[in-house]
Amino acid sequence: MDPVAAAAAEEEGREKPPVIYTMENKPIVTCAGDQNLFTSLYPTLSQQLPREPMEWRRSYGRAPKMIHLESNFVQFKEELLPKEGNKALLTFPFLHIYWTECCDTEVYKTAVKDDITKWQNVLKAHNSLDWLIVVVESDAKKKNKTNILPRTSIVDKIRNDFCNKQSDRCVVLSDPLKDSSRSQESWNAFLTKLRTLLLMSFTKNLGKFEDDMRTLREKRTEPGWSFCEYFMVQEELAFVFEMLQQFEDALVQYDELDALFSQYVVNFGAGDGANWLTFFCQPVRSWNGLILRKPIDMEKRELIQNQEATLLDLRSYLFSRQCTLLIFLQRPWEVSQRALELLHNCVQELKLLEVSVPPGALDCWVFLSCLEVLQRIEGCCDRAQIDANVSHTVGLWSYATEKLKSLGYLCGLVSEKGPNSEDLNRTVDLLAGLGAERPETANASQSPYKKLKEALSSVEAFEKHYLDLSHATIEMYTNIGRIRSAKLVGKDLAEFYMRKKGPQKAEVYLQGALKTYLAEGWALLVTHTRKQLAECQKQLGQIENYLQTSSLLAGDNHLTENERKSFCQEILDFANQQEENQGQKVVLPMQSFAQLKTLHFDPPNAVVHVGGKLLIELTLLSQMPIPVQVDQIAIHVHFSIEKNSYRKTAEWLTKHKASNGVISFPNEITGFPLSRNNLPALELYEMYERSPSDNSLNTAGIICKNVHMLLRRQESSSSLDVPSGVTLEDGAHVLKCTNLILEPGVNKVTFDTQAKEPGTYTLRQLCTSVGKVQFVLLHIYPIAQYDVYSQEPQLKVEPMTDSLLAGIPQKVKFTVTTGHYTMKNGDTLQLSNADAMPILYHPESKAVIYSNARDKISESSLRIQSSEKITSISLPVAPAYHVIEFELEVMYLPSATQSVAEKENTANKEVHRKSKEKQKHDNCMATVDQKVTIDCPWSIYSTIIALTFCIPFNAKHSLLSAGKRKYVQVCVQNLSDLSFQLSDNSLKNSADCTDLQLVPLNPESQQVIYSKQSIFFVWELRWTKELPLSLQCLFSVSFCPATSEEQSITLKPFTYEFEVENFFTLYHVKTEIFPPLGAEYCKTGLLCSLEVSITRLVDLSEVDRDEALTESDGYCTTKLMYEVVDNSSNWAVCGKSSGVISMPVAAQATHKVHMEVMPLFAGYLPFPDVRLFKYLPHHSAHSTQLDADSWIENDNISVDKNVDDQADSSSIRSRSSLHSAASGEHKGLPMPRLQSFSSGQVFNCSTGMQILVIPSKDDHVLEVSVT
């Protein structure tokens, strides 16, 4: 600003207060001294000062900001300095500058010094400490005056005189008007200093101002505190921030004022009111809306300053200032958001403060404010930006539409007859409250003022403006995806059309809103919309749709009882109308009339035979508020025959059906469709198609039985679409119940039917007829169906226990399912007799007849006749679809005669051997299948059944020796779960040898063998002369169940046949261990002597004639191999542990072997084991025959021993034999073989003997082996 102009402004300012336009305000800097000098430098100074930004660091930890400084330079006058208590920041001089270009000492002393002194004294008097002295240096003046002192002398004097402690407050500006580097450097230094001092002054004075403002705010609880005064103080701070172009900080000040005022209003509503709030409770007399086209509404600001503003005035002014700052911050969309919140809050604040507002005044104020905000935003944004940000402004459009609708209803512009005189007077009053149009909008054709005035001028104009606003709002909501809001505006529009007698247009909006509310589950909105829709449909004459909507409303619990009854009566009145066209029926959905809750079948499994009766009980929940006379309730049934229905017997159907017979249906909210999230689960079932001839599987697949529920289209809420192919009339498969009264709530309806044709009957539809109206449930879900079967007669034979035991009587149950066959007198079952399984007849046997539901019908005696080949069982007389049960006793005889046993033994010898091996391994009973052929009266074909019998016992034998004496032990195992009593055991020689005597050692004649237990029988073999090499023995024992009473029949004994071979003792082996010489006992770690004596007990016999026998001059020898093994690792065998000897085949021939052993542990140690084998030569034509001595001496030859169970090849080889095995093979020596003796041929008398071993004296650890 030009200083001259500034001075003129100052003169004017004395006459009247200046008008504040904050964007034109700048921080004030006073200029004293040489005004001509400053005037010459002002253009450069005002241009260069804001060019470089400065970092402004503020107090209280606020973030630093970069600002561009501008200043309003004015001539210094004492009147500009702030008085005590003056809090105005806009007129506050932040810096004082003294300008001089004096370079003459005399002039400085006579004039300049005094002038600076006066200037300093005035500043000190007003506590103004922010000042600066600028000395301008000019080369031109230096040339004109030769007697001047150097420049520094004047600067030094000024610094000495005025800047003793603040030398930086005096700066030099050299040749400022020249374009030189020196001049530029001087300017830069001066501008930097000027910006720094300005920022320091801002920080200091603003900080002090904020502290004072904070102190004033903290006094708000004191009496006499005024919000308006505080408002002006904090707004002064906002003006300063705006002056510095810190719009965000300025906005924060207004937001704080907004929050403070809002909190006071809320507290007032809660009963804690401040006295100054009474100024804002004045009645509203003006409602001209927001004013956003001025940076500052000075009219309302003065009202606030004078404490004469109403609530709307304060809110309007406060929002206009926030709007201006938001526009500066380029955030116009926040303006619309804040405006919507402001309008809603003002409505609530007026209620809280109980401010008197004329009817419609607030609607006018909100309508004008919405349009003013929208036009303000349109003024600062282009069309593309507005279209892209519709979501921010659509709320204002909707609010304006709502308020215009309220004004239309209030002023009678929506009624059929138009406004009356009272409405016209009210309209005039409302327009008067708007006042005159503002000058800034007087020339605008579409100003909010003109729009409102025009809309209230006539019915046609209102309709035009309201429809334009409504359609624009609906389009905006739809474009941004806010469908609910669009439907809500559409509902208001439908209400408008209904008032204007246009139900056709209203129906479209109501249907759209209803569809949305149904899909989202808004129950109250659905009810309200349906009431409007019902009235609309009634006016349009849509009878079917009106009846459907009325049925939904009659069952709606959100309505009052009287409303529900009225809608129900509408349906009944139509249903009872007598018209000529009686064939026309109105079909409505049943969900609104009654709900199907449960369905109960009797019989519960829903399975009946042809000709049987079935009861179906429905539980219906009537939605109607009054009792309703029902003409008929019908169930439409779908009949189907599956391809594999021949497999569906009564038993199969019973296993695959629910047992309780009750089907519960899900609760549905009346009138609400099934949403996607509540769809039923897939009901997948396996489907098999088998061949009728051989029952082989042809195809397999999966079928979904509720596909009609999953793939159906969403049903419309306005009409009932009956699918094609669904017959609602009476058909071949319809269950009916007539003349009923459905009471409100739960009702029981019973249907009965008689099955005629076999197949599956599925309940598809439920239809309730009330006069001309039919309520139909199109799909009964979950699936409810019953089966009718035609069953073939069947015979089933099953044991009464888990397993049938051979040898004792066992009970078998016969079950005859008659099916469609009727048992007549004389019908019998013909069973083929088997010698191995006789049928035992008891005269007291009974046959029981049951119904298919397992109810006992009758009981009769069972008549059985037996012949040589056939057993005939007479069946009692029984009707179709009943069950006959009786029990018989059978007994399986494993060997009926001796010849049969021999044949079985011969034919199945190998099978029995394998079976015994498996039996020993698995310890389970052996089984035998016995087949029986049965001829039934209902079939020409014979039925073959197989009964599996288990052998309860298992036997095994063993040969025991005591020197030359021999014993046979037979072990009998009871593998069954029963206990048996054994008696009359015997063991016989099959060859009936008289020289052999079997002496029993079993004292008890009768013994009990318990389940899973064993009993042993022992006989001693005694003979008088040599016996054959093998003996055939037959063991037998009589048995009977231990718990049973005396048997009426004789049971066959259990027999076991076995063979005993090579049972004579050939060799006697004796082992002795001797302690070291001079010692009494064996000691650990010391060598002991081991002596093995092998004695031949008999002379040459047939057993000895094998490859090992050597005859020479009547002297027979055989080769034996011995082996000393200690498997328990108690002994260490030193030297050779095995060897081959040549044993004479003569009685009492003895061979002794000596070796050394070392005990490894102390205690009673068992003797090492001594094993004896036959040593057979190798079968090879090219092998070299070695003499016996060479075999004995050459013990290093590897021997391949083919040992069965008693020999362990790994234990026979010593270290040396393993070492020399390879060499022996390379030399090509023959490989002899070993043959084990049979059980009983070798008797070791030292088995089980022990010897005492004591520990050595120097052992510190004692280890004792206990066996």
Side-chain angles (χ1 to χ4, degrees):
M1 178 184 289
D2 192 304
V4 178
E10 291 294 331
E11 292 296 331
E12 294 179 1
R14 295 173 186 171
E15 298 178 1
K16 58 180 180 179
V19 178
I20 301 177
Y21 291 99
T22 57
M23 284 301 294
E24 300 177 5
N25 287 339
K26 297 176 183 178
I28 296 177
V29 177
T30 64
C31 298
D34 193 344
Q35 294 297 321
N36 294 327
L37 172 64
F38 171 70
T39 303
S40 63
L41 299 179
Y42 174 74
T44 305
L45 180 60
S46 60
Q47 182 181 1
Q48 294 291 333
L49 180 62
R51 182 166 294 179
E52 296 293 333
M54 289 290 288
E55 184 181 35
W56 185 20
R57 296 183 177 272
R58 302 176 60 193
S59 58
Y60 298 107
R62 285 173 282 194
K65 295 184 178 181
M66 302 299 292
I67 64 172
H68 293 266
L69 291 173
E70 291 185 84
S71 295
N72 184 12
F73 293 94
V74 298
Q75 185 177 358
F76 175 78
K77 290 184 179 181
E78 187 175 356
E79 292 81 4
L80 294 176
L81 297 179
K83 304 295 189 295
E84 186 69 25
N86 186 4
K87 296 182 174 60
L89 283 177
L90 292 178
T91 58
F92 183 82
F94 288 94
L95 185 63
H96 306 277
I97 304 178
Y98 188 91
W99 297 86
T100 181
E101 58 177 352
C102 176
C103 56
D104 188 347
T105 307
E106 294 299 329
V107 175
Y108 170 74
K109 291 181 179 180
T110 57
V112 176
K113 182 177 179 181
D114 293 339
D115 194 26
I116 295 176
T117 302
K118 293 179 183 179
W119 175 68
Q120 287 269 345
N121 291 333
V122 173
L123 294 179
K124 290 179 181 179
H126 291 82
N127 292 325
S128 296
L129 304 178
D130 300 307
W131 51 268
L132 179 66
I133 301 175
V134 181
V135 179
V136 179
E137 180 190 40
S138 176
D139 291 339
K141 289 191 175 184
K142 283 184 179 182
K143 293 179 181 180
N144 294 334
K145 296 183 180 181
T146 58
N147 60 342
I148 63 173
L149 294 174
R151 171 184 54 84
T152 54
S153 63
I154 297 299
V155 175
D156 292 342
K157 284 183 176 292
I158 292 175
R159 287 176 177 170
N160 290 332
D161 294 337
F162 303 103
C163 308
N164 293 330
K165 297 181 180 179
Q166 296 174 312
S167 59
D168 59 337
R169 292 299 180 102
C170 180
V171 296
V172 178
L173 188 60
S174 301
D175 290 327
L177 300 179
K178 286 188 177 182
D179 188 9
S180 63
S181 59
R182 182 186 175 197
S183 175
Q184 188 62 40
E185 290 178 2
S186 178
W187 268 111
N188 291 339
F190 167 68
L191 291 173
T192 302
K193 175 58 69 175
L194 180 60
R195 294 187 190 109
T196 303
L197 292 176
L198 275 174
L199 280 182
M200 290 173 59
S201 178
F202 288 157
T203 304
K204 179 181 65 175
N205 289 288
L206 285 182
K208 184 177 182 302
F209 185 87
E210 286 180 331
D211 292 340
D212 294 339
M213 183 186 71
R214 195 175 296 109
T215 302
L216 180 61
R217 185 172 62 223
E218 291 173 355
K219 295 180 180 180
R220 63 185 180 274
T221 56
E222 298 178 2
W225 187 85
S226 173
F227 176 79
C228 294
E229 292 180 4
Y230 176 75
F231 182 93
M232 305 308 293
V233 172
Q234 190 158 2
E235 190 185 29
E236 188 81 13
L237 181 62
F239 284 156
V240 173
F241 284 126
E242 186 178 358
M243 177 179 66
L244 297 176
Q245 298 185 7
Q246 300 302 307
F247 304 119
E248 189 69 48
D249 291 329
L251 181 62
V252 168
Q253 308 309 314
Y254 287 110
D255 289 344
E256 290 179 356
L257 288 170
D258 190 350
L260 181 61
F261 185 78
S262 299
Q263 187 60 49
Y264 269 104
V265 173
V266 172
N267 294 343
F268 183 88
D272 183 14
N275 295 330
W276 54 265
L277 269 176
T278 56
F279 297 110
F280 297 99
C281 296
Q282 307 171 33
V284 176
R285 296 183 177 87
S286 175
W287 41 88
N288 53 359
L290 298 174
I291 302 175
L292 304 180
R293 301 173 194 263
K294 296 179 181 179
I296 298 179
D297 188 352
M298 293 303 300
E299 181 182 350
K300 287 186 171 54
R301 188 174 188 274
E302 289 179 2
L303 291 175
I304 297 173
Q305 189 172 8
N306 298 330
Q307 299 186 4
E308 298 175 355
T310 63
L311 176 68
L312 295 183
D313 293 333
L314 175 66
R315 283 300 186 185
S316 299
Y317 176 77
L318 190 56
F319 181 76
S320 68
R321 294 297 302 133
Q322 292 172 323
C323 174
T324 301
L325 294 172
L326 288 171
I327 296 296
F328 288 153
L329 290 169
Q330 298 181 356
R331 286 149 58 181
W333 314 119
E334 189 174 339
V335 174
S336 61
Q337 177 186 349
R338 287 183 177 226
L340 194 59
E341 295 176 1
L342 166 75
L343 299 178
H344 286 287
N345 289 338
C346 282
V347 174
Q348 299 302 320
E349 289 176 350
L350 288 172
K351 293 180 180 179
L352 288 175
L353 296 180
E354 300 177 356
V355 177
S356 175
V357 183
L362 199 54
D363 296 333
C364 291
W365 183 80
V366 171
F367 179 81
L368 292 173
S369 299
C370 289
L371 296 189
E372 177 72 11
V373 174
L374 291 171
Q375 291 188 4
R376 183 70 180 93
I377 293 175
E378 291 175 359
C380 63
C381 299
D382 55 23
R383 175 50 56 185
Q385 288 179 313
I386 294 175
D387 294 340
N389 293 274
V390 171
S391 59
H392 297 92
T393 58
V394 67
L396 293 173
W397 286 100
S398 177
Y399 204 15
T401 305
E402 179 185 342
K403 292 306 176 183
L404 184 60
K405 183 191 75 169
S406 300
L407 288 172
Y409 281 82
L410 183 66
C411 298
L413 299 174
V414 189
S415 61
E416 299 179 20
K417 300 179 181 180
N420 53 28
S421 59
E422 184 181 353
D423 297 332
L424 293 176
N425 292 333
R426 188 179 295 112
T427 304
V428 172
D429 294 339
L430 290 176
L431 294 177
L434 300 179
E437 188 172 7
R438 303 170 194 143
E440 59 268 17
T441 62
N443 298 326
S445 59
Q446 296 293 326
S447 66
Y449 181 87
K450 290 185 177 67
K451 284 189 175 183
L452 180 58
K453 195 170 184 180
E454 182 182 354
L456 299 181
S457 62
S458 65
V459 174
E460 294 77 12
F462 174 80
E463 182 175 353
K464 176 183 178 300
H465 283 280
Y466 177 67
L467 293 180
D468 290 344
L469 279 175
S470 298
H471 291 151
T473 304
I474 291 175
E475 183 180 1
M476 292 179 192
Y477 274 134
T478 305
N479 291 338
I480 63 175
R482 292 178 59 178
I483 305 301
R484 300 188 192 92
S485 300
K487 299 302 180 184
L488 195 59
V489 178
K491 261 192 73 178
D492 294 339
L493 199 55
E495 185 179 352
F496 172 78
Y497 280 127
M498 291 295 294
R499 289 284 191 99
K500 303 294 287 184
K501 296 300 180 181
Q504 297 90 347
K505 297 179 181 179
E507 185 190 18
V508 178
Y509 294 103
L510 291 175
Q511 290 285 11
L514 182 60
K515 183 178 180 180
T516 301
Y517 299 151
L518 284 172
E520 299 181 0
W522 301 101
L524 292 176
L525 291 176
V526 167
T527 303
H528 183 263
T529 308
R530 278 195 178 129
K531 286 178 61 178
Q532 295 175 307
L533 185 61
E535 182 63 28
C536 181
Q537 291 167 344
K538 187 175 183 180
Q539 293 183 17
L540 290 174
Q542 298 176 356
I543 301 301
E544 185 173 343
N545 293 341
Y546 174 66
L547 291 176
Q548 177 179 341
T549 307
S550 298
S551 67
L552 291 169
L553 291 171
D556 196 334
N557 292 324
H558 296 100
L559 294 178
T560 63
E561 192 73 16
N562 292 333
E563 287 178 316
R564 293 178 59 194
K565 289 180 179 179
S566 65
F567 284 112
C568 181
Q569 194 61 44
E570 290 282 333
I571 302 172
L572 297 180
D573 292 343
F574 175 82
N576 297 327
Q577 286 180 2
Q578 299 295 330
E579 295 185 3
E580 297 178 359
N581 188 7
Q582 293 293 335
Q584 182 181 2
K585 299 282 187 179
V586 176
V587 181
L588 301 178
M590 178 172 281
Q591 288 83 354
S592 59
F593 179 73
Q595 288 187 9
L596 180 60
K597 305 301 290 183
T598 60
L599 186 148
H600 177 67
F601 286 107
D602 186 17
N605 58 5
V607 177
V608 293
H609 57 78
V610 174
K613 288 188 177 181
L614 177 75
L615 295 181
I616 302 175
E617 184 183 75
L618 300 184
T619 302
L620 291 177
L621 179 65
S622 176
Q623 305 285 350
M624 297 296 103
I626 59 177
V628 178
Q629 177 70 37
V630 177
D631 299 335
Q632 174 182 285
I633 298 180
I635 300 177
H636 295 261
V637 182
H638 175 73
F639 172 70
S640 63
I641 302 177
E642 298 186 14
K643 293 181 180 180
N644 58 346
S645 60
Y646 59 89
R647 291 180 51 81
K648 288 192 174 181
T649 62
E651 180 183 2
W652 187 93
L653 289 170
T654 303
K655 288 182 179 179
H656 290 76
K657 299 286 287 213
S659 58
N660 58 1
V662 177
I663 299 176
S664 299
F665 298 90
N667 293 326
E668 287 190 14
I669 301 176
T670 306
F672 281 83
L674 199 62
S675 63
R676 275 289 165 205
N677 296 331
N678 296 326
L679 284 178
L682 286 172
E683 288 189 5
L684 299 179
Y685 294 89
E686 300 173 348
M687 182 185 67
Y688 302 102
E689 185 174 351
R690 299 181 180 272
S691 173
S693 58
D694 57 356
N695 200 27
S696 61
L697 183 64
N698 289 342
T699 58
I702 296 176
I703 186 172
C704 178
K705 292 197 174 183
N706 61 338
V707 66
H708 61 285
M709 297 295 296
L710 296 169
L711 300 183
R712 68 177 182 178
R713 181 179 61 85
Q714 287 279 358
E715 296 178 3
S716 174
S717 60
S718 61
S719 62
L720 180 66
D721 298 329
V722 181
S724 60
V726 177
T727 304
L728 299 179
E729 293 80 11
D730 296 346
H733 300 286
V734 178
L735 307 180
K736 299 179 182 179
C737 189
T738 58
N739 295 327
L740 297 173
I741 295 179
L742 288 184
E743 299 287 342
V746 178
N747 296 268
K748 302 285 187 180
V749 182
T750 304
F751 300 83
D752 58 347
T753 180
Q754 186 170 10
K756 297 179 181 179
E757 189 175 354
T760 299
Y761 294 80
T762 303
L763 311 185
R764 287 292 178 85
Q765 291 181 340
L766 182 63
C767 179
T768 303
S769 299
V770 181
K772 295 167 57 180
V773 181
Q774 286 186 336
F775 296 95
V776 177
L777 179 62
L778 283 180
H779 305 286
I780 296 179
Y781 182 85
I783 295 175
Q785 60 186 17
Y786 63 91
D787 291 278
V788 178
Y789 65 91
S790 175
Q791 189 177 2
E792 295 293 330
Q794 290 183 350
L795 171 66
K796 184 168 66 173
V797 181
E798 55 187 351
M800 298 293 291
T801 57
D802 293 339
S803 59
L804 296 175
L805 297 180
I808 60 176
Q810 297 285 279
K811 287 187 177 183
V812 177
K813 183 172 73 171
F814 285 74
T815 303
V816 178
T817 304
T818 61
H820 60 76
Y821 183 80
T822 302
M823 292 294 172
K824 301 179 293 295
N825 193 11
D827 287 344
T828 59
L829 295 179
Q830 303 288 336
L831 280 68
S832 61
N833 291 339
D835 294 336
M837 190 189 74
I839 297 176
L840 308 179
Y841 171 66
H842 294 280
E844 63 274 10
S845 298
K846 300 289 184 180
V848 184
I849 302 176
Y850 296 94
S851 67
N852 265 358
R854 300 303 297 175
D855 296 329
K856 186 175 180 180
I857 304 299
S858 62
E859 184 178 0
S860 62
S861 299
L862 194 66
R863 293 175 297 170
I864 301 177
Q865 295 179 355
S866 297
S867 62
E868 183 179 355
K869 295 183 178 180
I870 298 295
T871 297
S872 178
I873 303 175
S874 298
L875 297 176
V877 177
Y881 297 102
H882 280 65
V883 178
I884 302 174
E885 288 186 358
F886 57 88
E887 297 177 4
L888 293 180
E889 278 193 346
V890 298
M891 184 171 64
Y892 177 73
L893 305 176
S895 55
T897 61
Q898 185 64 27
S899 60
V900 174
E902 292 176 358
K903 290 178 183 179
E904 290 181 354
N905 189 35
T906 304
N908 301 320
K909 185 175 182 180
E910 184 66 20
V911 176
H912 281 294
R913 185 186 66 82
K914 293 182 179 179
S915 175
K916 289 179 181 178
E917 290 178 358
K918 182 178 180 182
Q919 173 184 329
K920 292 177 182 179
H921 179 70
D922 297 336
N923 198 23
C924 60
M925 294 184 286
T927 59
V928 179
D929 289 337
Q930 179 64 42
K931 294 183 179 180
V932 180
T933 302
I934 304 177
D935 292 330
C936 302
W938 57 81
S939 175
I940 60 174
Y941 302 103
S942 299
T943 303
I944 300 177
I945 62 171
L947 296 177
T948 301
F949 290 87
C950 299
I951 309 299
F953 300 117
N954 178 39
K956 55 185 177 180
H957 70 282
S958 59
L959 181 66
L960 308 177
S961 301
K964 288 185 178 183
R965 300 177 67 179
K966 299 297 177 181
Y967 302 89
V968 175
Q969 177 182 273
V970 178
C971 174
V972 178
Q973 293 178 292
N974 181 10
L975 303 177
S976 69
D977 295 330
L978 297 179
S979 298
F980 293 93
Q981 184 172 348
L982 304 183
S983 62
D984 301 333
N985 58 84
S986 65
L987 181 66
K988 297 180 180 180
N989 180 15
S990 300
D992 294 333
C993 181
T994 57
D995 298 326
L996 176 64
Q997 184 181 3
L998 296 173
V999 180
L1001 303 180
N1002 311 301
E1004 295 292 338
S1005 59
Q1006 291 186 352
Q1007 300 183 62
V1008 176
I1009 180 170
Y1010 295 96
S1011 174
K1012 311 301 180 184
Q1013 300 296 323
S1014 300
I1015 286 184
F1016 295 87
F1017 300 94
V1018 180
W1019 286 265
E1020 182 180 0
L1021 299 180
R1022 296 180 182 176
W1023 59 90
T1024 57
K1025 65 177 183 178
E1026 185 175 355
L1027 298 177
L1029 296 180
S1030 63
L1031 294 175
Q1032 295 291 334
C1033 299
L1034 179 64
F1035 168 77
S1036 67
V1037 62
S1038 299
F1039 67 95
C1040 64
T1043 57
S1044 64
E1045 298 177 357
E1046 187 172 345
Q1047 297 288 334
S1048 59
I1049 60 173
T1050 304
L1051 303 180
K1052 291 282 185 177
F1054 172 72
T1055 60
Y1056 170 62
E1057 187 176 356
F1058 58 92
E1059 182 180 4
V1060 180
E1061 297 178 339
N1062 300 326
F1063 55 87
F1064 297 104
T1065 304
L1066 301 180
Y1067 297 97
H1068 180 275
V1069 179
K1070 182 179 180 182
T1071 306
E1072 290 184 297
I1073 299 178
F1074 304 99
L1077 293 175
E1080 184 179 358
Y1081 299 101
C1082 296
K1083 293 184 178 180
T1084 57
L1086 298 181
L1087 293 178
C1088 301
S1089 176
L1090 174 67
E1091 180 184 270
V1092 179
S1093 298
I1094 303 173
T1095 304
R1096 175 79 182 193
L1097 298 181
V1098 297
D1099 294 327
L1100 182 66
S1101 62
E1102 290 298 327
V1103 181
D1104 298 314
R1105 299 187 181 279
D1106 52 19
E1107 300 173 7
L1109 185 65
T1110 304
E1111 293 187 22
S1112 177
D1113 299 333
Y1115 180 74
C1116 298
T1117 59
T1118 186
K1119 293 184 176 60
L1120 303 178
M1121 179 179 176
Y1122 66 90
E1123 180 184 18
V1124 179
V1125 180
D1126 183 25
N1127 291 328
S1128 58
S1129 301
N1130 292 322
W1131 302 89
V1133 182
C1134 303
K1136 296 190 299 181
S1137 62
S1138 61
V1140 179
I1141 61 175
S1142 181
M1143 189 73 184
V1145 185
Q1148 300 305 318
T1150 303
H1151 189 97
K1152 293 187 178 182
V1153 178
H1154 295 272
M1155 60 185 68
E1156 291 182 332
V1157 295
M1158 178 186 296
L1160 303 178
F1161 304 99
Y1164 284 95
L1165 302 184
F1167 282 19
D1169 295 333
V1170 178
R1171 298 177 182 177
L1172 205 60
F1173 304 94
K1174 283 187 179 182
Y1175 195 83
L1176 305 179
H1178 179 64
H1179 293 282
S1180 176
H1182 304 286
S1183 61
T1184 303
Q1185 183 67 31
L1186 300 178
D1187 59 85
D1189 295 335
S1190 64
W1191 279 104
I1192 297 173
E1193 296 298 332
N1194 191 7
D1195 189 52
N1196 292 333
I1197 297 176
S1198 176
V1199 180
D1200 183 16
K1201 302 183 290 296
N1202 297 323
V1203 185
D1204 293 337
D1205 294 332
Q1206 298 179 4
D1208 184 6
S1209 60
S1210 61
S1211 64
I1212 297 175
R1213 299 173 182 172
S1214 62
R1215 295 189 185 94
S1216 59
S1217 65
L1218 291 174
H1219 173 72
S1220 61
S1223 61
E1225 291 176 1
H1226 287 299
K1227 294 176 182 179
L1229 293 176
M1231 300 298 294
R1233 296 177 293 114
L1234 295 180
Q1235 180 180 348
S1236 300
F1237 286 100
S1238 298
S1239 177
Q1241 289 184 327
V1242 177
F1243 178 73
N1244 192 342
C1245 66
S1246 301
T1247 301
M1249 293 182 62
Q1250 295 179 334
I1251 187 172
L1252 177 62
V1253 178
I1254 61 177
S1256 301
K1257 294 181 180 180
D1258 56 349
D1259 287 347
H1260 300 286
V1261 180
L1262 178 63
E1263 294 186 10
V1264 179
S1265 176
V1266 179
T1267 59

